[in-house]
Amino acid sequence: MQNMVKQIVDMDKKAREITDAAQLEKVQTEKDIVKRREDIRNEYLERARRRIALNEPQERAAAEQGWKKSKARYEELSARMDSTCKENASKWVDALVSRVIGE
């Protein structure tokens, strides 16, 4: 009987040791997962920053080129409007005056 109680106590002690070891391994694994996730995130962000730095000059040049095209187009439209206004200003004034006066 004494021997059987000792075996039960020993088995319980062994089970607790195994449970404690498993719990420690679980905690360590969770810490490793958190660290690995942070490492992956930092690595991804660093690659993204390098890509942005590489692409920035091309994007800036493309934007500048687009801006120059838009500016040239609007300057041309402005010049055409000024030219049309100079050509037709007296005609438009006469038409407005005659409509207001009612002729």
Side-chain angles (χ1 to χ4, degrees), residues 5 8 14 21 24-25 28-29 32 37-38 42-43 47 54-55 57 60 70 76 79 82-83 90 94 99-100:
V5 171
I8 292 172
K14 186 74 169 173
L24 286 173
E25 186 176 344
Q28 185 60 44
T29 302
D32 291 345
R37 182 175 58 211
E38 189 65 27
N42 288 336
E43 181 181 322
R47 281 187 290 156
L54 288 174
N55 291 337
R60 196 173 292 275
S70 295
E76 188 227 332
D82 287 343
S83 172
S90 62
D94 291 341
R99 286 183 187 170
V100 170

Side-chain angles (χ1 to χ4, degrees), residues 37-82:
R37 182 175 58 211
E38 189 65 27
D39 290 345
I40 290 170
R41 181 180 179 275
N42 288 336
E43 181 181 322
Y44 176 80
L45 288 174
E46 183 58 34
R47 281 187 290 156
R49 286 184 184 110
R50 282 195 303 262
R51 255 188 321 224
I52 289 170
L54 288 174
N55 291 337
E56 183 182 9
Q58 292 94 351
E59 292 297 322
R60 196 173 292 275
E64 186 67 29
Q65 185 179 11
W67 165 248
K68 285 179 182 177
K69 283 181 181 179
S70 295
K71 184 178 177 186
R73 181 172 176 259
Y74 289 124
E75 285 176 351
E76 188 227 332
L77 287 173
S78 177
R80 282 178 34 200
M81 287 173 56
D82 287 343

Side-chain angles (χ1 to χ4, degrees), residues 81-99:
M81 287 173 56
D82 287 343
S83 172
T84 302
C85 184
K86 286 179 185 176
E87 290 173 12
N88 298 314
S90 62
K91 205 175 5 172
W92 292 337
V93 169
D94 291 341
L96 286 171
V97 170
S98 68
R99 286 183 187 170

